[in-house]
Amino acid sequence: MNRRMRTYFYAVFGAIGGLIGWQMSDYLGLSFITNLYLSEAVVGALIGFVIGLCIGITEGLLTQNFVQAIRAGLFSAMLGLVAGAIGLPLSEFLFQAVGAGFLGRALGWSVFGLLLGFAEGVVGKSQAWKGMLGGLLGGALGGVLLESAPNWLSNPLNGKAVGLVLLGASVSAFISLIVVLLSRAWLEVVSGKLKGTEFILDKFMKAGGPSIAIGSSALKSEIVLPDPDIAPQHAMLSGDGTRFSLKDMSMEGTYINGRKVERTQLSNGQKIRMGNTEMIYHEKR
């Protein structure tokens, strides 16, 4: 999953979440709730839970890290539940109070997107504020699309379905897009089972912050490479605020531009080989 395709897949999974959310809310009906805002909170929570789940599992599935997919999916789903329960009633309140229309929907769903972006920032490998900015923008656009969609189709039910699909796609795509555009450091896999995959490293660049492990075990490493010649926890990346240092932790060895290293500071464009997998380190200044 390179950085360009990442946004595409995020949009697709978000759209699927919106479609499932529409089907579930339409099936349940929720007509037993007479209070408008409580009804909107329940519907919003349901939609948010499903969209959050789909966004959360995306990167884990595409990088074959199923432990991350489960962990990130559940966390994002719970924040999505809260986001939807706040966002939909808020947009309805603004609509009812001042007739805000598109503005009300945009504001309400931007809160929804912001919280989902926060979830992605917490469980992903980028800084939380980047996911939040993307979610905010995607939620605002998605809210406008959700309000507009029923006007495009003669059947209001189909319009709602299209609107929720576009909402999920918009929030997901913008979260990924902003993270990609503002990313400062990433690893590109150029050989091995995950060829073409890129791992963003921004969250770990901060001096004194957490290190990130690279290895073959999803239980011991944050970047998981399915290669039998890579140790469960093969190497460790540590940031100093501007660049990364790599420390080998394996018996098999880690190679930079063909030279075996114990510990080294990484520079843009260097090739890293572990087992049968080769990566290129990229950074932007």
Side-chain angles (χ1 to χ4, degrees), residues 24-276:
M24 292 179 66
S25 62
D26 182 61
Y27 175 77
L28 294 175
L30 302 173
S31 58
F32 57 89
I33 301 176
T34 56
N35 182 280
L36 173 63
Y37 294 112
L38 182 58
S39 175
E40 294 287 86
V42 174
V43 172
L46 178 63
I47 293 170
F49 180 88
V50 178
I51 293 179
L53 177 65
C54 288
I55 293 175
I57 66 175
T58 303
E59 186 162 355
L61 290 180
L62 294 175
T63 58
Q64 300 180 34
N65 186 343
F66 302 112
V67 172
Q68 180 193 5
I70 293 171
R71 182 173 62 245
L74 291 176
F75 183 80
S76 186
M78 295 310 297
L79 266 187
L81 184 147
V82 174
I86 294 173
L88 188 54
L90 177 60
S91 66
E92 187 62 39
F93 172 76
L94 292 170
F95 182 80
Q96 296 288 336
V98 296
F102 292 111
L103 178 60
R105 301 303 188 199
L107 289 174
W109 286 108
S110 65
V111 174
F112 169 81
L114 183 139
L115 289 178
L116 282 182
F118 171 74
E120 179 62 19
V122 169
V123 299
K125 298 180 181 65
S126 185
Q127 294 152 306
W129 70 267
K130 295 175 183 176
M132 293 170 70
L133 175 60
L136 182 74
L137 296 174
L141 175 60
V144 171
L145 294 173
L146 179 60
E147 183 71 11
S148 304
N151 299 324
W152 304 338
L153 302 171
S154 57
N155 188 326
L157 193 61
N158 292 338
K160 180 183 177 183
V162 170
L164 285 174
V165 167
L166 292 174
L167 172 70
S170 177
V171 171
S172 304
F174 269 87
I175 288 174
S176 175
L177 182 63
I178 294 299
V179 166
V180 166
L181 291 177
L182 300 182
S183 59
R184 295 177 57 195
W186 64 96
L187 289 174
E188 176 192 2
V189 182
V190 294
S191 70
K193 292 183 178 179
L194 293 183
K195 183 179 179 179
T197 300
E198 295 182 359
F199 295 96
I200 294 173
L201 306 172
D202 292 17
K203 180 191 292 186
F204 306 95
M205 185 175 280
K206 182 180 178 181
S211 298
I212 180 169
I214 305 173
S216 59
S217 171
L219 298 177
K220 295 184 177 181
S221 301
E222 288 79 23
I223 294 179
V224 180
L225 302 172
D227 184 333
D229 293 321
I230 291 179
Q233 193 175 73
H234 196 102
M236 191 74 69
L237 285 171
S238 302
D240 64 5
T242 58
R243 60 180 70 245
F244 281 96
S245 294
L246 182 144
K247 178 182 179 182
D248 179 60
M249 301 177 65
S250 71
M251 299 293 292
E252 296 84 355
T254 299
Y255 297 82
I256 303 293
N257 292 340
R259 180 174 61 88
K260 188 175 182 180
V261 298
E262 296 293 330
R263 187 181 186 96
T264 187
Q265 192 173 70
L266 294 177
S267 299
N268 183 48
Q270 285 185 322
K271 292 183 178 181
I272 305 168
R273 181 168 63 83
M274 301 175 187
N276 296 309

